[in-house]
């Protein structure tokens, strides 16, 4: 085998990434639900025949958990002789299917070149079909292990019938699943074209060398970090089921080119749906490392395999069956905050202050009389991003583990019997500092459905524990979730579940801002005056920050 040079390695890697990015576009353009076609709640990747990640499109970091987990389970469950051209696999289960929560359905397609297995095309999309939750994973929806949906190109009808029987909105599920299948076929064809150009021998050498390169780059970057042990802990508000103050603790241990993330001391798993299975924890650690280390390190399994993880089974970050996991995304946000907090002990300039620290969401469930069908509307709402040592935090964005788009008001009101009352920056939510944290979001939605069968489930975090600042920067603003009826507040629970709504009721979600960086006394007064004029802050924010409001009038 000829030795592949670094230039060829990079060219092929870029070609693989291009295929993955194109797959993401295909899935977005062909998806049926607003969750996929508008909000882009999806991810795609290419894996080697051995289940090692080769290329990952830049979509949602948390989704890497379900992509990689499903491939690992497939490799364990099926012998290569049982995998054929034309096969398509499906999975979503966190405990038997490599998933991280049930709405994320993974579709896997083995790729063959002249009869030889050369890759797996894998994608996932969030299927918003159920809104009701329960105290175990059994109550969260249909659990699908890694099984064949197509066998040698032929649909396994019994499997599809069983899956569809468990969904309310079959028209959406069929459309989205077909889009996922089409996307993998597109990636299959493009990879075959690439191998035709470079040759199978070169491609197989690339698969080996690319992983070796990822591990080598990672080891070099880790060795440049300062040896030591760095600890940090933070708390989630609650699990929504009666348990509060959920501690997440990490100790980062660095010795030469070895790094270990030790989560000993984290609280036990809880009855609420905030538990993380191992693959979700791993995805969060991998993302955090990529954010801190050399950004030229490829996001492949060579890099990921260089990281050591210690966590106790049965805890919030390493849940065991039957712990519920549907809202695990908020927990991964807090895990990322804790990891960055630990790295700040080494050098605060390496990281940002705490962001909004949540995957705040709204789920409206009801009947749409306009189309005489059931609907489930899911919206995940961003917030503030933490300030850094030389720059303000970003306003009104998703942070860290989630990266979905917002659903435009026009699309929302066209698709669902709902009306957007307010969509704006959350004033005074930015943490004060030399560089301020980003602002949160206010999103208020009115029910205009008169079917009498509408309910809402929602959740936000950082309602109790505010996002922390760095180097004298102050905390970001809290989140809140309120429901109004006829102008009166009827609920202020930050994690309401299955609340019946009437026509005219308003659900208002206010997401957290983010922590600041450095003393606010060093902030440019002209910038504060401009933000006061723009309505981002008011005089209360100025006085709470310890400044004199009179000096900014």
């Amino acid at each position: 085998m000829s030795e592949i040079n670094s230039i060829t390695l990079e060219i092929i890697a870029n070609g693989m990434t291009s295929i993955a990015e194109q797959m993401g576009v295909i899935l977005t353009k062909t998806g049926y639900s607003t969750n996929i076609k508008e909000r882009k709640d999806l991810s795609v990747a290419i894996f080697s025949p051995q289940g090692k990640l080769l290329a990952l499109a830049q979509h949602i970091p948390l989704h890497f958990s379900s992509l990689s987990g499903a491939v690992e389970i497939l490799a364990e469950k099926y012998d290569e002789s049982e995998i054929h051209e034309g096969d398509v696999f499906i999975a979503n289960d966190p405990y038997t299917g490599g998933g991280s929560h049930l709405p994320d359905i993974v579709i896997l397609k083995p790729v063959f070149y002249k009869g030889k297995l050369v890759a797996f095309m894998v994608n996932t999309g969030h299927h918003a079909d159920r809104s009701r939750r329960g105290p175990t994973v059994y109550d969260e929806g249909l659990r699908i292990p890694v099984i064949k949906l197509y066998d040698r190109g032929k649909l396994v009808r019994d499997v599809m019938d069983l899956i569809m029987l468990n969904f309310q909105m079959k028209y959406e599920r069929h459309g989205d699943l077909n889009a996922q299948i089409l996307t993998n076929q597109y990636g299959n064809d493009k990879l075959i074209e690439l191998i035709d150009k470079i040759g199978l021998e070169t491609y197989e050498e690339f698969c080996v060398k690319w992983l070796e390169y990822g591990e080598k780059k990672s080891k070099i970057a880790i060795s440049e970090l300062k040896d030591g042990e760095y600890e940090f802990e933070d708390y989630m508000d609650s699990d929504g089921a009666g348990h509060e103050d959920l501690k997440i603790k990490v100790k980062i241990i660095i010795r030469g080119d070895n790094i270990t993330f030790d989560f000993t001391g984290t609280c036990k798993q809880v009855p609420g749906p905030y538990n993380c299975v191992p693959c979700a924890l791993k995805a969060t650690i991998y993302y955090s490392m990529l954010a801190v280390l050399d950004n030229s390190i490829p996001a492949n399994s060579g890099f990921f395999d260089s990281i050591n993880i210690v966590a106790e089974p049965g805890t919030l970050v390493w849940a065991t069956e039957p712990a519920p996991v549907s809202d695990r995304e908020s927990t991964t946000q807090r895990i990322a905050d804790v990891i960055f907090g630990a790295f700040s002990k080494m050098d605060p300039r390496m990281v940002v202050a705490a962001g909004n620290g949540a995957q705040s969401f709204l789920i409206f469930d009801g009947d749409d009389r306009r189309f005489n069908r059931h609907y489930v509307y899911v919206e995940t709402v961003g917030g503030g991003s933490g300030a850094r040592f030389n720059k303000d935090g970003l306003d009104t964005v998703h942070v860290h583990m989630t990266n979905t788009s917002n659903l435009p008001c026009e699309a929302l009101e066209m698709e669902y019997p709902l009306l957007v009352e307010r969509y704006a920056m959350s004033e005074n939510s930015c943490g004060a500092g030399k560089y301020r944290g980003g602002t949160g979001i206010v999103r208020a939605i009115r029910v205009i459905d008169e079917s009498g069968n509408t309910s809402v489930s929602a959740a936000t975090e950082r309602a109790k524990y505010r996002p922390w600042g760095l180097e004298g920067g102050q905390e970001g603003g809290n989140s809140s979730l309120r429901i109004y009826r006829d102008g009166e507040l009827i609920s202020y629970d930050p994690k309401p579940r299955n609340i019946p709504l009437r026509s005219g009721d308003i659900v208002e979600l206010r997401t957290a801002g983010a922590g600041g960086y450095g003393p606010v006394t060093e902030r440019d007064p002209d910038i504060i005056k401009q933000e006061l004029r723009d309505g981002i802050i008011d005089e209360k924010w100025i006085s709470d920050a310890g400044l004199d409001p009179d000096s900014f009038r």
Side-chain angles (χ1 to χ4, degrees), residues 168-337:
Q168 300 173 90
M169 297 174 293
K170 296 174 176 56
Y171 60 96
E172 275 196 0
R173 303 290 69 76
H174 270 298
D176 286 344
L177 287 175
N178 286 338
Q180 290 182 255
I181 293 167
L182 172 68
T183 295
N184 280 347
Q185 183 61 52
Y186 176 86
N188 178 103
D189 297 343
K190 287 298 180 181
L191 183 59
I192 296 302
E193 289 181 14
L194 178 62
I195 298 176
D196 279 337
K197 291 179 181 178
I198 66 176
L200 181 59
E201 184 179 20
T202 300
Y203 169 76
E204 291 179 330
E205 186 180 357
F206 161 79
C207 292
V208 174
K209 297 298 183 183
W210 187 235
L211 298 176
E212 291 177 352
Y213 177 70
E215 182 176 8
K216 181 179 178 180
K217 289 275 288 184
S218 174
K219 290 289 187 180
I220 291 172
I222 293 169
S223 68
E224 294 174 349
L225 299 174
K226 184 179 178 181
D227 280 4
E229 298 183 2
Y230 309 95
E231 295 187 45
F232 198 85
E233 63 184 47
D234 202 348
Y235 292 81
M236 297 186 69
D237 299 339
S238 74
D239 71 340
H243 291 70
E244 298 186 353
D245 309 325
L246 312 180
K247 183 167 78 170
I248 299 176
K249 181 179 180 180
V250 69
K251 178 192 290 184
I252 300 176
I253 305 166
I254 301 172
R255 299 283 186 271
D257 63 359
N258 290 301
I259 188 166
T260 299
F261 292 81
D262 186 347
F263 289 86
T264 301
T266 296
C267 72
K268 298 296 184 182
Q269 64 190 42
V270 292
Y274 288 86
N275 304 287
C276 284
V277 291
C279 65
L281 173 64
K282 293 176 183 178
T284 310
I285 294 171
Y286 300 155
Y287 157 78
S288 302
M289 283 289 286
L290 284 171
V292 168
L293 297 181
D294 176 2
N295 61 13
S296 67
I297 298 174
N300 65 30
S301 288
F303 162 56
F304 301 145
D305 291 345
S306 68
I307 300 168
N308 305 307
I309 301 171
V310 176
E312 181 185 356
T315 58
L316 188 68
V317 299
W318 198 277
T320 54
E321 191 173 358
V325 297
S326 61
D327 296 343
R328 88 290 184 228
E329 61 274 13
S330 280
T331 308
T332 63
Q333 298 283 37
R334 195 57 44 82
I335 294 170
D337 276 347

Side-chain angles (χ1 to χ4, degrees), residues 490-502:
I490 64 170
S491 172
Y492 54 89
D493 182 354
K495 295 181 171 68
R497 299 292 185 186
N498 307 321
I499 304 298
L501 298 177
R502 302 175 187 170

Side-chain angles (χ1 to χ4, degrees), residues 95-164:
Y95 297 107
T96 65
S100 62
H101 76 164
L102 298 180
D104 288 341
I105 297 181
V106 181
I107 299 293
L108 311 94
K109 179 176 177 58
V111 180
F112 287 82
Y113 186 81
K114 297 181 179 178
K116 185 174 185 179
L117 179 65
V118 294
F120 288 98
M121 294 293 165
V122 190
N123 70 65
T124 186
H126 185 107
H127 291 252
D129 201 277
R130 295 172 59 95
S131 66
R132 290 168 174 78
R133 317 291 175 88
T136 71
V137 71
Y138 305 116
D139 304 296
E140 294 185 329
L142 174 67
R143 300 175 62 187
I144 310 171
V146 177
I147 54 176
K148 286 188 181 183
L149 184 62
Y150 282 78
D151 188 0
R152 294 179 173 87
K154 184 177 181 180
L155 176 66
V156 183
R157 178 67 62 183
D158 290 345
V159 171
M160 181 64 84
D161 288 347
L162 178 61
I163 292 172
M164 286 300 121

